[in-house]
Amino acid sequence: EVQLVESGGGLVQPGGSLRLSCAASGFTFDDYSMSWVRQAPGKGLEWVSVITWNGESRHYAESMKGRFTISRDNAKNTLHLQMNSLKSEDTALYYCVREDQYYGMDYWGKGTLVTVSS
């Protein structure tokens, strides 16, 4: 059974940092690209970042460039998102998502909540 379990969310002040993690199990982790997707309160889903299976290629949504860094540890089956210079508009539920080359975003975690507030 595929499982994606996010952690690391919490309350942080504007300008602060958080590091999200996603523990993956039930599949061959390094066969897949992985993404982070977020959903702000009352809003739709917003893609954040993607990393290829070997970590060599990474892409970010425009508003996250220079502030967020996606990474992975294939030996530990974990995905990370380092978030710096956080803003109130980064407040959202952050999901870890598996990217299948044929089916797209096929498995989602339950999310971890990030709240940026003073």
Side-chain angles (χ1 to χ4, degrees):
E1 178 189 5
V2 173
Q3 287 195 323
L4 299 169
V5 181
E6 302 93 337
S7 61
L11 175 64
V12 62
Q13 292 187 341
S17 299
L18 278 177
R19 187 183 192 224
L20 306 184
S21 296
C22 172
S25 61
F27 64 102
T28 304
F29 185 63
D30 56 10
D31 277 351
Y32 294 86
S33 294
M34 298 292 296
S35 283
W36 288 98
V37 175
R38 70 185 186 184
Q39 185 169 29
K43 296 189 176 181
L45 295 170
E46 178 183 26
W47 171 77
V48 173
S49 181
V50 63
I51 186 168
T52 52
W53 68 274
N54 58 3
E56 289 188 353
S57 183
R58 314 174 193 204
H59 301 278
Y60 302 90
E62 195 62 38
S63 63
M64 290 78 166
K65 286 181 181 178
R67 299 190 302 124
F68 290 10
T69 302
I70 191 171
S71 63
R72 66 191 295 161
D73 184 339
N74 286 344
K76 296 183 178 179
N77 290 354
T78 56
L79 176 73
H80 300 287
L81 184 69
Q82 176 67 44
M83 305 187 296
N84 299 328
S85 303
L86 284 162
K87 307 174 183 179
S88 58
E89 50 263 44
D90 295 317
T91 294
L93 190 61
Y94 284 72
Y95 296 99
C96 170
V97 185
R98 191 179 83 167
E99 295 264 12
D100 184 272
Q101 62 175 327
Y102 301 110
Y103 301 109
M105 295 182 176
D106 62 347
Y107 283 93
W108 296 61
K110 293 183 178 180
T112 185
L113 182 63
V114 172
T115 303
V116 184
S117 175
S118 55

